Amino acid sequence: MNIKSASPAARAVYIHVPFCLHHCGYCDFALVANRDHLIPQYLRALENELLAHRRIVGDVVDVDTIFVGGGTPTHLSPETLQSLFSLIQRHFRPTTNAEISVEANPDGLDDERLSVLKSNGVNRLSLGVQSFDNDVLKTLERTHTGAQAIQTVERCGKWFSNVSLDLIFGVPGQSAASWQQTLDAAASLPVKHISTYGLTFEKDTPFFRREQHGQLKRTPDELERTMYLDAISRLSACGMQHYEVSNFARPGFECRHNM
């Protein structure tokens, strides 16, 4: 858990859910895969931390934004996901028009989980799509296909008016044309926000070790620069504003938590 300060004046809270179906080779976030037996222990630890914070501030804290990230929060079962939100709601009170965001992957995001999110006031869904190119997805070790990602985005658009996509460029073997096609596909979907990230080889990740052993080759700097500029030009052309280094949004849909 992270909040701006240990006082009633804190206006934003981040809750980290460190569980995934698969730990992708490029990811250096704090998470575990295939360790679902630890989820009850995690919920107890989170409750203890929230209780400790409560003893400091003395009351429920009003917040303007709540961001539940990971990991993959929607990897939790619908029942456990409900338990997580019940715990959050005992300690934090969203203000009027608060932004409540949840990160999700296309895998396993069924209507039952979406219903839990909706019923708990979630109004912004951030999907880790990364690409619509199956070859790029395979390199990134993602477990969904481009077609499955499109179907999921379209379905989520019926549940939430504010859907965001995460995309990655600079992937080994990725061409400029492949990246442009992913950008165009993303822009054609019912999304209000797109984040574009250049792939990094973080120390101690499998991708870093594979790169050190010559099994993966970094994208040349000039091609990666071209991809970044392509994101700016193509997403701006479809009406999205480039409001942060990696972030684009339709007017009024900038991520308030990140800002």
Side-chain angles (χ1 to χ4, degrees):
M1 183 186 74
N2 180 269
I3 58 174
K4 288 175 61 179
S5 65
S7 76
R11 306 302 298 186
V13 61
Y14 172 80
I15 303 292
H16 188 71
V17 181
F19 297 97
C20 277
L21 176 66
H22 169 72
H23 195 162
C24 299
Y26 60 88
C27 178
D28 71 334
F29 293 156
L31 62 89
V32 291
N34 295 313
R35 303 285 296 278
D36 290 4
H37 64 282
L38 295 175
I39 292 175
Q41 183 178 340
Y42 156 78
L43 288 174
R44 289 194 296 271
L46 178 60
E47 182 174 21
N48 288 337
E49 186 173 354
L50 290 171
L51 287 171
H53 174 256
R54 183 70 163 271
R55 286 192 289 270
I56 295 172
V57 301
D59 199 359
V60 176
V61 176
D62 291 328
V63 289
D64 297 317
T65 68
I66 298 173
F67 197 107
V68 183
T72 309
T74 55
H75 177 65
L76 302 182
S77 69
E79 295 77 17
T80 309
L81 198 57
Q82 178 58 56
S83 296
L84 173 66
F85 275 100
S86 296
L87 181 57
I88 294 171
Q89 291 160 4
R90 288 202 293 271
H91 296 274
F92 300 101
R93 182 170 47 233
T95 56
T96 303
N97 299 320
E99 177 189 87
I100 304 177
S101 302
V102 173
E103 291 184 336
N105 280 339
D107 314 76
L109 190 57
D110 54 26
D111 284 352
E112 193 173 0
R113 286 177 171 83
L114 292 172
S115 179
V116 171
L117 299 182
K118 187 76 171 181
S119 66
N120 282 280
V122 173
N123 52 25
R124 184 177 184 275
L125 191 65
S126 179
L127 292 172
V129 169
Q130 316 311 359
S131 178
F132 294 103
D133 183 317
N134 288 338
D135 290 334
V136 173
L137 289 169
K138 184 177 180 180
T139 299
L140 290 173
E141 302 178 2
R142 305 298 287 175
T143 52
H144 61 268
T145 66
Q148 289 170 340
I150 289 174
Q151 292 172 358
T152 300
V153 174
E154 290 176 337
R155 184 160 50 88
C156 289
K158 298 175 182 178
W159 284 86
F160 301 97
S161 61
N162 189 358
V163 176
S164 175
L165 304 184
D166 284 356
L167 304 175
I168 296 179
F169 62 91
V171 180
Q174 184 183 33
S175 66
S178 166
W179 175 238
Q180 290 165 2
Q181 290 168 3
T182 281
L183 290 170
D184 292 344
S188 71
L189 292 168
V191 300
K192 299 296 194 300
H193 187 282
I194 296 175
S195 297
T196 61
Y197 301 107
L199 180 66
T200 56
F201 290 74
E202 301 294 342
K203 191 175 181 180
D204 296 327
T205 63
F207 266 37
F208 179 83
R209 292 191 290 272
R210 289 174 63 190
E211 191 267 342
Q212 294 293 300
H213 288 91
Q215 298 170 354
L216 286 177
K217 187 175 181 181
R218 297 185 186 230
T219 299
D221 289 346
E222 186 60 29
L223 176 55
E224 190 165 342
R225 188 179 80 90
T226 296
M227 290 176 170
Y228 179 62
L229 294 176
D230 280 342
I232 296 173
S233 62
R234 287 177 179 263
L235 296 180
S236 296
C238 72
M240 289 197 162
Q241 298 177 351
H242 185 203
Y243 73 98
E244 283 184 337
V245 173
S246 302
N247 294 316
F248 303 81
R250 300 204 181 278
F253 287 92
E254 298 82 0
C255 180
R256 288 161 51 196
H257 184 86
N258 288 345
M259 294 177 69

